[in-house]
Amino acid sequence: MLLHVRFCAVMLVLGLLTGCGEPATRGPSTVLPRPSLGQWSVPGPAVSAAPAAPAPVSSPARTAAVSSGWEITVYYTAVQSFHGGDPETVTGCRGLDCAHGDDDLGEYPAGFVAAVKDEGTGRTAAGTYLNWSYDIGYWLDTAARDAAGAPLRPFVSAAADPGVLPRGATFRIAGCGRTDDGAAADGTVCAALRRARWTVTDEFTPGLGGSRHVDLYIGEETGPGFTDSPWYLTLTGASLRLG
């Protein structure tokens, strides 16, 4: 179909065709909760400025099918320095070559440990990453990882239940819908989510996904109280452009 559209466009420019048929639309083909913008900037993979959301793709994406009625949540990398609480000893694995290990991984503020379990990953004060997944438990790593062990990419990586959107499926946000309290999503947040092109590389913890639910990775949290910022959000009635 793509070759047909391009062929028609070229032939029209050359004056060799007087018309072409309209292309038919194409059908649709590992993580966890939610973020008025104020002082918050777009989250990024490091401590400084956020990555620019990818530029819109060209014409083929506009022919992809739009699917409505989706729930959108976001997940992020917690940052130890933004969390407090009593020291809590964490046990687990010192790498990805084990599961549910009992090695001493160090002491961390209780708030940070809780955020890591909620979001799946956190950057420690030492610069390493304390990660958590249903299958492995806690482990130390050099990066925030998706379900296949690859580094998570802000404004690219997304999670879905495999039976709904398989690994490698791509989509864009066609419409942000409403927040869970019925309000419109912050305009800056919605625009950033819509500019990105997302790829399913991650999976939900069992029981947290659903038939029309995607979770979008937005990078590191940018300050204390991140869950009170507009970036930590749930959107309902959203629409996705699949493909």
Side-chain angles (χ1 to χ4, degrees), residues 19 31 53 84 109 128 135 177 179 192 215 236:
V31 191
T128 58
D135 294 328
T179 63
D215 212 7
T236 59

Side-chain angles (χ1 to χ4, degrees), residues 33-111:
R34 342 302 152 237
S36 21
L37 204 48
Q39 76 274 29
W40 297 98
S41 59
V42 179
V47 292
S48 57
V57 295
S58 56
S59 56
R62 292 197 293 270
T63 68
V66 173
S67 177
S68 60
W70 288 81
E71 178 181 11
I72 295 174
T73 52
V74 301
Y75 63 117
Y76 61 90
T77 295
V79 176
Q80 180 178 341
S81 60
F82 299 149
H83 295 270
D86 294 334
E88 183 174 322
T89 300
V90 175
T91 58
C93 299
R94 293 192 172 276
L96 282 171
D97 56 350
C98 81
H100 301 288
D102 56 7
D103 289 335
D104 185 346
L105 303 183
E107 286 189 345
Y108 307 94

Side-chain angles (χ1 to χ4, degrees), residues 15-242:
L16 298 178
L17 287 178
T18 58
C20 283
E22 291 295 325
T25 56
R26 181 156 54 92
S29 33
T30 131
V31 191
L32 313 153
R34 342 302 152 237
S36 21
L37 204 48
Q39 76 274 29
W40 297 98
S41 59
V42 179
V47 292
S48 57
V57 295
S58 56
S59 56
R62 292 197 293 270
T63 68
V66 173
S67 177
S68 60
W70 288 81
E71 178 181 11
I72 295 174
T73 52
V74 301
Y75 63 117
Y76 61 90
T77 295
V79 176
Q80 180 178 341
S81 60
F82 299 149
H83 295 270
D86 294 334
E88 183 174 322
T89 300
V90 175
T91 58
C93 299
R94 293 192 172 276
L96 282 171
D97 56 350
C98 81
H100 301 288
D102 56 7
D103 289 335
D104 185 346
L105 303 183
E107 286 189 345
Y108 307 94
F112 176 66
V113 176
V116 169
K117 189 167 185 179
D118 283 344
E119 305 303 324
T121 179
R123 180 167 59 82
T124 72
T128 58
Y129 288 82
L130 180 65
N131 295 330
W132 182 89
S133 76
Y134 176 82
D135 294 328
I136 297 175
Y138 291 104
W139 80 93
L140 288 177
D141 208 327
T142 57
R145 305 275 179 188
D146 62 27
L152 288 166
R153 295 191 292 162
F155 292 94
V156 175
S157 300
D161 278 350
V164 177
L165 290 176
R167 180 175 175 82
T170 60
F171 63 89
R172 300 174 73 87
I173 307 301
C176 289
R178 314 290 290 184
T179 63
D180 51 1
D181 61 1
D186 180 275
T188 300
V189 173
C190 179
L193 298 179
R194 293 189 64 178
R195 282 195 301 270
R197 183 168 186 176
W198 303 92
T199 301
V200 177
T201 65
D202 220 347
E203 298 178 8
F204 280 102
T205 295
L208 295 179
S211 60
R212 288 180 176 265
H213 184 185
V214 291
D215 212 7
L216 311 179
Y217 178 67
I218 57 175
E220 291 190 359
E221 61 181 334
T222 54
F226 185 72
T227 56
D228 294 325
S229 82
W231 287 103
Y232 191 70
L233 84 175
T234 295
L235 298 172
T236 59
S239 55
L240 307 186
R241 193 177 299 276
L242 303 170

